[in-house]
Amino acid sequence: MGQYQGNAAAVRELVRETEVHRDVYVDQEIFDLEMEHLFANTWIYVGHDSQVPNAGDYFGTSIGKQPVLMVRHTDGEVYVLYNRCPHKGTRITIDTCGNAGKFFRCPYHAWSFKTDGSLLAIPLRKGYEHTGLEGSEAAKGIPRVRHVRNYRGFVFAKMSDAGLGFEDYFGESLSSIDNLVDRSPVGRLEVAGAPLRHMFNCNWKMLVENLTDTCHPMVAHESSAGTAVEVWKQMFPGANTKPPAVEIFAPFISPYEAYEKMGIRVWRNGHGHTGVHHSIHSDYSSVPGYFDKMVAAYGEARAKAILDENRHNTAYFPNFTVKGPIQAIRQFKPIAPNRTLAESWTFRLVDAPDQLLERTVTYSRLINAPTSVVAHDDLEMYERAQEGLLVDANPWVNIQRLYDPTEAGQDTAVVNGTSEWQMRNQFRAWSKFMTMSL
Amino acid sequence: MVAPTDQDLISFVVHEARLIDQHRFEEWLDLFSDDGHYWMPLEWGQTDQRLTTSLMYEDKLLLRIRVERLKGNRTFSQKPKSRCHHVLQVPQIDKRDEAANEYVTWTPMHYVETRLDEQDLYAAWATHTLAMVDGKLKIKLKRVDLVNCDAALRSIQLFM
């Protein structure tokens, strides 16, 4: 047995007010406990219900390290099933998405299950007569994730009975999902195509912290965003209108003052967002016809209020982020202490002009692809940190910037955009949800 | 205008890969026509690059940004620099349309990119759409279809 299993006090000691111990990033036992406790006690994003529009449609993903299936049942409900046959453990489906028809059929021994997971039939069933099968785990069918909530199309699940109810857990942070959905004149989103999938040799929390790290873009992205602006000026001297790609790159190298003024909002349970007052998405050129559609749908005042929100990253604890103004989401899937899969999805705003999707697609390609120069900048920093943390001389990571001794008692706040409050907020939540069932 | 021979097309594609392998990126950029694009789809059999996400869809401005970035003093992901290596099958001529000034070649290839102790091997098909511009062959579109385009990929920092 290691030093953390069953030892909540030792886990709590890893998170100080303004420092975090490197074991949260590098230690295998801590990672295993995160999978067992943190990812069970929190609400994890599973998928979007537009990925399973029809009965029998399924989408395969994972919660923590466990494979799950999001499926549309014949009653119209979306269920989340653990992706294993109750018989021998075989994954029922291996592809990312498909349609099961009226039932799932395990490819190994042909046990079949309704799309809510319940056992439908077993071949040669008489072999189980008088064996007491009805009392077995297998007879219960494909196990279902117990707590599932479809919030305006975004399906979240919580594996454990511990933790908080959905509304209590997310609270006001749901306003960022609301804003993303409201950007469609008919209030509906559709996943547009496959995700970009980029593998990082670093801990998943480094990608989460980076979402609200506003003191790195002008440094780490000087090489990409800075070069983009310079090359554009050289190639098109005197041009006023930036091409779409440069319009996306340029704000990344905004000066410190701009990021300070953007503001950060934090909410309890580890959620928060950058871009309270303005953001890197504020100055995109307008798309013809879009505002008129929004006014027709919502009235002018409401349409303006929806589109004036320019939240950059809304970090939903633990591993999900929503980027409303660019209609994209990202999820950081933990694979190992030093291995994380980042998946980036783009959305179509139903009934909005195609140019919005075009901008989203361009943004995702330029910023979040394994081929993206901005992603190359970031990956280099995370992986250097993962290696540097092996130094024993200093096992602590500093998250002290603009620390306020009263902040732990505050449910929500709007602060200077370069504050590391949101990182501290995440680690307070980390400590809470890690230890509540330990 | 003199039409290129099949051997001209083949030599062009082979030379293009060599320029990348030897980091002769300025010469490489000159192979693209002013409206040329480099496209690496994300989806198998992808037909659209505007409303479907790609790994790369870059015009000359974006390609030049990449080339300049690779040289940058503060491009930390290129300290040390990546290296790459192409192995091409003989390019096949899929289309010769002299009237339309359009020539299409198809080239299966293996591509290796390395940096520090990491070496990644990719298999892909390159489809070149070429045209004669001012007496020289130029790339209108280089499409690179990765065999594992939808896999979880490590960073690809150079050009296939």
Side-chain angles (χ1 to χ4, degrees), chain A residues 11-29:
Chain A
V11 172
R12 283 193 199 99
E13 282 169 15
L14 297 173
V15 178
R16 296 175 175 171
E17 280 291 283
T18 58
E19 289 177 315
V20 185
H21 193 273
R22 57 111 180 258
D23 277 8
V24 307
Y25 303 100
V26 304
D27 187 79
Q28 181 69 47
E29 189 190 5

Side-chain angles (χ1 to χ4, degrees), chain A residues 25 205-213 399 423 426-427:
Chain A
Y25 303 100
K205 293 186 289 302
M206 290 184 184
L207 287 102
V208 179
E209 283 159 48
N210 191 254
L211 294 171
T212 60
D213 184 317
I399 49 170
M423 297 181 203
Q426 281 161 356
F427 276 106

Side-chain angles (χ1 to χ4, degrees), chain A residues 100-125:
Chain A
K102 287 194 169 15
F103 58 88
F104 287 112
R105 178 179 182 274
C106 178
Y108 197 1
H109 301 97
W111 287 32
S112 58
F113 309 90
K114 292 183 193 166
T115 47
D116 64 358
S118 55
L119 182 60
L120 187 62
I122 298 174
L124 207 62
R125 187 152 195 156

Side-chain angles (χ1 to χ4, degrees), chain A residues 12-80:
Chain A
R12 283 193 199 99
E13 282 169 15
L14 297 173
V15 178
R16 296 175 175 171
E17 280 291 283
T18 58
E19 289 177 315
V20 185
H21 193 273
R22 57 111 180 258
D23 277 8
V24 307
Y25 303 100
V26 304
D27 187 79
Q28 181 69 47
E29 189 190 5
I30 287 291
F31 180 83
D32 293 341
L33 290 173
E34 285 181 337
M35 296 305 102
E36 186 182 345
H37 297 278
L38 184 70
F39 278 76
N41 296 337
T42 52
W43 287 88
I44 306 295
Y45 175 71
V46 177
H48 192 265
D49 73 359
S50 67
Q51 294 168 283
V52 289
N54 304 308
D57 286 346
Y58 62 83
F59 166 67
T61 179
S62 54
I63 300 179
K65 288 180 76 174
Q66 303 184 45
V68 296
L69 275 170
M70 178 175 82
V71 58
R72 180 83 68 171
H73 188 50
T74 43
D75 62 3
E77 286 297 302
V78 173
Y79 292 100
V80 180

Side-chain angles (χ1 to χ4, degrees), chain A residues 387-403:
Chain A
E387 293 185 15
L389 288 176
L390 298 177
V391 169
D392 292 330
N394 173 11
W396 295 95
V397 169
N398 188 285
I399 49 170
Q400 195 151 10
R401 194 176 170 74
L402 293 168
Y403 171 65

